[in-house]
Amino acid sequence: VSALLESLLNGVGAEAVPTGSRAIHYGDGVFRTLLRKDGVVLDVDGQFAKLQADAERIGLSLDRRLRSQLLHEVENIAHGTRTAVLKLMLVRGGGGRGYMPTANSTTDRYVLAYTAPSYPAACWDSGIVAERSEFMLGDQPALAGIKHLNRLEQVMAYRSASTAADEVLLQNAQRQWVCGGRSNLFIVIDGILITPPLERQGVAGRMRERVLETAAKHGFEYRIKAVPDSLLSHAAEVFITNSLIGIWPVRQLNRQLFSVPGPVTGKLAHVLAHPRLTDS
Amino acid sequence: VSALLESLLNGVGAEAVPTGSRAIHYGDGVFRTLLRKDGVVLDVDGQFAKLQADAERIGLSLDRRLRSQLLHEVENIAHGTRTAVLKLMLVRGGGGRGYMPTANSTTDRYVLAYTAPSYPAACWDSGIVAERSEFMLGDQPALAGIKHLNRLEQVMAYRSASTAADEVLLQNAQRQWVCGGRSNLFIVIDGILITPPLERQGVAGRMRERVLETAAKHGFEYRIKAVPDSLLSHAAEVFITNSLIGIWPVRQLNRQLFSVPGPVTGKLAHVLAHPRLTDS
């Protein structure tokens, strides 16, 4: 389990958040999870671009000053720890009761550092076991794709998951596959890379974007397209992504088996060269 | 604006919540808003029953000990203030990173007291002006009706509302009316009381339940039934409810006008006899 190492609230070391925080009451904010590996925070620019885009969608601004403060804190928090998980949160300021934001409310920034998790090398080499969640994702286009702080769906998905699975994969009410509980989902059919759209539900991870960028740059054919059961049943390869793990091949989803390492998954992982969080 | 008077975390006075709280990161909890008026906390049993039912839906337990602690705190917080708004929150315990709840996690209780708002008597007597929100509610049966801490939809609804309106009324993607931003919705057609179902979205307020109980007890005909535009356009009376305001008649919704005081609204308000939060 990841332990909290240090937290900064608006640049000041703090172990607690004021009880009036709109993060507590409404989940009124956005976040990103970054990896510092061997002293280097990975993909800062890409993560900040997504953080900014998400913030704007809920009406928060990440202006130049806030951005530079946040960058400084991300680079310096828990500095003695070479490998750490960093969580950046932007939260709408103002602490009164009521959903209506205060006029001209500021944006609060929380930066947290955690010990990094460690996984068996087999997660990358032999693939993981995933299971279909009993919990169905809802449908809310206005908030879909945003990495916001309303994450009860993910909590509920993990609550209902068996402990044997390495990841739980989620469908929407139309029984289309959308994403993993803490990851995005890709499948490969006839050599073509496919990932579900995130316009009605789900979270658009930065690693998903990096995989798509990598595919485009290296001439992989790819599509963003709905993935019903009937499509997934034809997949030769399945993998999940997030900014901590990079790419994990899925070797089993319920009773369906996939070839690991698949050629497309393997090439993408090779090009991405994301570091492994493993003890071995 | 309501100001925070006092807050208790697991029974201890505290101005802040640990940064690891699952309320902050995931909105992983449920809440209720209660009114203390003239020294008496209203409808405690009814509110606790709803809190318990909601807690169970997300896998939190409100056992006898927790319930008795919470009751004690609700009766005693900010005791010098005769009139106050109390917010009770149950939050899943455990502060590590990751959506998966800790095995055998405890339930944390937050009890907050705020100054009570005050409204013009006209809100009860002449009715309020409501507007249709541009923001559409999503669709998530597994979480619908629960008063949980994922409330970005309500924040977004108020962000897009005009300041002239007293309340914003929300529709789902099927353009059915569901509720107000901080209230439940009732309409009256041909003397029959109608309120929308909350099985796909919305929050089931305790005052909504009390109005339905009152209707049943006093022989009012009522239905829980979908309210598309075509139905609302035939409404003779419209009103909203919550545990602070009781019943507010709606005299105008966008360009549609309603009679205030309507006979059914007036009789229900009379029987409920909810105290008014007004200076006058």
Side-chain angles (χ1 to χ4, degrees), chain A residues 14 17 70 75 78 84 92 134 147 158 174 183 214 243 263:
Chain A
V17 170
L70 209 47
E75 297 290 351
R92 204 183 314 272
E134 296 297 315
K147 213 170 173 87
Y158 279 109
Q174 292 73 46
S183 59
T214 303
S243 292

Side-chain angles (χ1 to χ4, degrees), chain A residues 126-131 162 164-168 249-254:
Chain A
S126 326
I128 62 154
V129 174
E131 71 173 38
S162 80
D166 300 300
E167 176 62 312
V168 61
V250 174
R251 67 180 159 86
Q252 185 176 352
L253 170 59
N254 293 8

Side-chain angles (χ1 to χ4, degrees), chain A residues 17 25 87 139-140 153, chain B residues 17 25 87 139-140 150 153:
Chain A
V17 170
H25 294 267
K87 184 166 179 177
D139 191 301
Q140 176 45 286
E153 288 193 327
Chain B
V17 171
H25 293 267
K87 184 166 179 178
D139 191 301
Q140 175 48 285
N150 280 198
E153 288 193 326

Side-chain angles (χ1 to χ4, degrees), chain A residues 2 4 7 9 14-19 22-28 31 33 57-59 85 87 89 92 96-97 99-101 112 114 135-140 142-143 148-156 158-159 181-182 244, chain B residues 2 4 7 9 14-19 22-28 31 33 57-59 85 87 89 92 96-97 99-101 112 114 135-140 142-143 148-156 158-159 181-182 244:
Chain A
S2 293
L4 185 60
S7 40
L9 269 62
E15 291 182 353
V17 170
T19 44
R22 293 177 68 95
I24 298 168
H25 294 267
Y26 311 128
D28 192 5
F31 76 103
T33 305
R57 279 188 65 192
I58 66 163
V85 173
K87 184 166 179 177
M89 303 162 80
R92 204 183 314 272
R97 213 186 57 80
Y99 296 118
M100 179 79 86
L112 283 70
Y114 296 86
F135 187 89
M136 302 278 151
L137 288 168
D139 191 301
Q140 176 45 286
L143 297 173
H148 54 63
L149 298 176
N150 280 197
R151 298 267 70 103
L152 253 179
E153 288 193 327
Q154 282 69 28
V155 173
M156 298 296 277
Y158 279 109
R159 278 197 72 241
R182 63 182 191 283
L244 299 186
Chain B
S2 292
L4 185 60
S7 40
L9 269 63
E15 292 183 351
V17 171
T19 45
R22 293 176 69 95
I24 298 169
H25 293 267
Y26 312 129
D28 192 5
F31 74 102
T33 304
R57 279 188 65 191
I58 66 163
V85 173
K87 184 166 179 178
M89 303 162 80
R92 203 183 316 271
R97 213 185 58 78
Y99 296 118
M100 178 79 86
L112 283 69
Y114 297 86
F135 187 89
M136 302 279 150
L137 288 168
D139 191 301
Q140 175 48 285
L143 297 173
H148 55 62
L149 298 175
N150 280 198
R151 298 267 70 103
L152 253 179
E153 288 193 326
Q154 282 68 30
V155 173
M156 298 296 278
Y158 279 109
R159 277 196 72 239
R182 63 183 193 283
L244 299 186

